[in-house]
Amino acid sequence: SSTDPLSSMAMFGIWCCCSEAPSGTVAVVSTHQSLTNEPPIEATASSGKRGRAGEMSSAGFKATVVKATKDIPLGIHIDLSDGNALHVCGVRSNGPSPVLAYNAIAPAEQRLQPGDYIVSVNGIRGNAPSMAAALKASSTSELEVQRPCLFFRRVTKKPGEKMGLELNYSEKGGSLVITAVGQGAVQRCAPDISMGDRIVSINGLVGSAVQLLEMVSIATDMELEISRRAKPELHAN
């Protein structure tokens, strides 16, 4: 039997639609929340690992990003779907942008990069829509940024077993946010996976959130790459 479907709801002030994944193994909340003028992340999975656990630090830092005018795009693609922080899905690499200008003068360990979590914008924290609004409205943005902690967990579903996950995502993003963990394969195989973690690759493949959703719904033996926010010491830029 399938999980109880989630009803349609308003989340973080915008309309979202809820549905079951094709196999009935996860409950899905699609919020379509992102802040970007860039095209969606490529829906074609790329092969190869993005890096083993421990290669990316959980250190935090502060960054100041300045726009000449408030309506200039920042040059980053941001996913709001966990509700509490801004997840950097991509950084524009061509053409001028405020983020590229910041990265050009920042130390290597304090450059904004895909996978980062922006946890505060001009003192606003804990509310992703408010933080995103501040980014758009401000000509100078004081950011607190956390690198992700990445780790891998093997999950194998038994015949007829559900994953036991409720997931949230931005269709323009490249990860799946775990909003709840119930009885199922994940809880049995990887009990340390918890609410707020992000699935960023499956069996070494990365792609759009929709593609990851399809993979997690149909695979029976998978290695999940998990991104988690930590509580780091902040280092001023």
Side-chain angles (χ1 to χ4, degrees):
S1 61
S2 63
T3 56
D4 291 334
L6 299 174
S7 59
S8 293
M9 64 184 75
M11 181 175 290
F12 316 133
I14 66 172
W15 180 87
C16 54
C17 64
C18 308
S19 63
E20 293 283 337
S23 67
T25 63
V26 295
V28 181
V29 183
S30 174
T31 65
H32 311 281
Q33 289 180 283
S34 61
L35 174 63
T36 181
N37 291 325
E38 309 299 325
I41 288 175
E42 290 293 334
T44 301
S46 60
S47 61
K49 299 292 184 187
R50 301 194 317 149
R52 302 306 300 185
E55 289 191 1
M56 294 187 73
S57 167
S58 61
F61 60 93
K62 294 182 179 180
T64 301
V65 178
V66 179
K67 297 185 290 185
T69 61
K70 293 180 181 180
D71 57 348
I72 292 178
L74 283 169
I76 54 175
H77 177 177
I78 291 176
D79 177 349
L80 288 68
S81 57
D82 79 355
N84 298 309
L86 307 178
H87 186 245
V88 179
C89 304
V91 177
R92 193 174 70 187
S93 59
N94 60 327
S97 74
V99 167
L100 281 183
Y102 162 78
N103 280 350
I105 61 173
E109 67 274 11
Q110 295 182 16
R111 293 172 187 161
L112 286 164
Q113 60 190 37
D116 285 347
Y117 292 94
I118 299 173
V119 298
S120 174
V121 178
N122 294 338
I124 301 170
R125 62 178 64 244
N127 186 306
S130 295
M131 293 162 62
L135 269 182
K136 293 181 70 174
S138 303
S139 56
T140 299
S141 296
E142 301 287 345
L143 311 179
E144 291 183 17
V145 184
Q146 291 178 4
R147 300 293 195 210
C149 288
L150 299 177
F151 59 95
F152 294 81
R153 293 294 181 267
R154 173 69 60 180
V155 174
T156 303
K157 288 189 291 187
K158 296 178 178 179
E161 187 178 30
K162 299 178 176 66
M163 286 289 283
L165 296 179
E166 293 183 11
L167 301 172
N168 196 1
Y169 69 97
S170 164
E171 285 191 342
K172 291 184 177 181
S175 62
L176 304 172
V177 179
I178 298 172
T179 59
V181 181
Q183 185 174 359
V186 170
Q187 190 178 77
R188 176 177 57 80
C189 298
D192 57 334
I193 291 178
S194 61
M195 181 178 67
D197 289 345
R198 283 179 180 264
I199 300 171
V200 295
S201 80
I202 299 172
N203 291 334
L205 303 178
V206 298
S208 70
V210 174
Q211 184 183 24
L212 289 176
L213 177 61
E214 181 179 1
M215 287 190 283
V216 81
S217 300
I218 63 177
T220 57
D221 182 27
M222 66 199 86
E223 184 183 53
L224 303 179
E225 183 183 8
I226 304 296
S227 171
R228 175 178 293 173
R229 283 188 292 137
K231 294 181 179 179
E233 284 185 27
L234 285 173
H235 303 285
N237 183 25

